[in-house]
Amino acid sequence: MKDNSSTLDVELFERWGSTYERSWMQQRLFDPVHTAVLQQAASHFQPANVLDIGCGSGRLLRKVHAYWPETHLLGVDPAQKMLEVARKLTPEAHFYRGSGEALPLEDASVDLALSTISFHHWRDQAAGVREVARVLRPGGYFLLADFTAPAWLTWLYPRVHSTAQMRALFEQAGLEVQAQLGPVARFVRITIGTRASK
């Protein structure tokens, strides 16, 4: 059965492309989450490359560039209009049209993968986390920040998980959960996972 909500999500972001950077959500929600994610990432290591899944207009990657100017930046998003804005505003990054469930990248090619407030839009979240595990190098990290809910409420929001459910998604994909932090913004927690070194 086709998941129409995923298609509607992409269509919505296509319409938002030209105004997304000016949205009130940037300063109130996304910026605090980005700051928390980058502080956590910086405490672990200095990556050679960083992938932002659901990169939108490239706002997080511009902040990554300020942290690590020499780092190779990659962004993936399903909305073409978002990518057009991202390419204009973030010329130092490489952008690809795609989804979390089908990342257009080679196996074991990414040091650090980030996803901020986009996971609840992914059509097949378990497949998406497996894809992240596939593209991570051994020892690479995945920091996922998204809305969480108490276990007793998650049946109302099938794409919003409890911390235990998020841990299970990571572990089923072969990622070792290092920490689950937050809330870093209203109902937003960060799950940090790593691909085991060989």
Side-chain angles (χ1 to χ4, degrees):
M1 187 169 110
K2 186 177 179 182
D3 185 350
N4 289 327
S5 60
S6 181
T7 302
L8 291 172
D9 284 351
V10 174
E11 290 173 358
L12 179 64
F13 283 102
E14 290 286 8
R15 290 197 300 272
W16 275 350
S18 61
T19 61
Y20 191 67
E21 279 286 318
R22 299 189 301 275
S23 166
W24 65 270
M25 291 187 299
Q26 297 297 346
Q27 289 185 334
R28 296 292 298 277
L29 177 61
F30 293 111
D31 286 348
V33 172
H34 290 171
T35 298
V37 165
L38 288 174
Q39 287 173 347
Q40 287 300 316
S43 72
H44 286 88
F45 68 126
Q46 182 168 342
N49 58 46
V50 176
L51 167 66
D52 183 11
I53 308 162
C55 64
S57 57
R59 192 178 185 95
L60 176 58
L61 287 174
R62 292 193 293 279
K63 296 171 187 172
V64 171
H65 183 66
Y67 264 74
W68 301 299
E70 303 304 316
T71 296
H72 185 64
L73 306 176
L74 306 164
V76 172
D77 200 277
Q80 184 61 38
K81 294 291 185 187
M82 286 289 186
L83 293 176
E84 289 172 8
V85 174
R87 289 183 180 112
K88 288 178 186 173
L89 298 178
T90 322
E92 53 278 332
H94 298 276
F95 293 98
Y96 305 92
R97 189 169 187 187
S99 67
E101 301 92 333
L103 295 170
L105 300 170
E106 295 181 5
D107 294 358
S109 60
V110 171
D111 289 327
L112 173 62
L114 307 173
S115 175
T116 55
I117 322 293
S118 75
F119 191 62
H120 61 281
H121 295 293
W122 295 16
R123 178 182 47 81
D124 185 338
Q125 293 168 315
V129 179
R130 288 193 302 271
E131 268 291 273
V132 174
R134 177 186 68 78
V135 302
L136 279 182
R137 291 183 177 137
Y141 278 83
F142 179 32
L143 277 71
L144 187 157
D146 210 284
F147 301 109
T148 60
W152 61 271
L153 257 184
T154 55
W155 68 274
L156 277 174
Y157 308 100
R159 292 190 193 171
V160 174
H161 302 288
S162 68
T163 53
Q165 290 168 331
M166 193 68 79
R167 175 180 286 273
L169 282 172
F170 272 55
E171 290 174 347
Q172 289 162 9
L175 298 175
E176 298 175 5
V177 175
Q178 303 295 307
Q180 291 182 285
L181 309 170
V184 296
R186 195 165 182 82
F187 306 115
V188 176
R189 292 183 180 275
I190 302 171
T191 300
I192 302 174
T194 185
R195 181 176 168 187
S197 299
K198 292 183 179 178

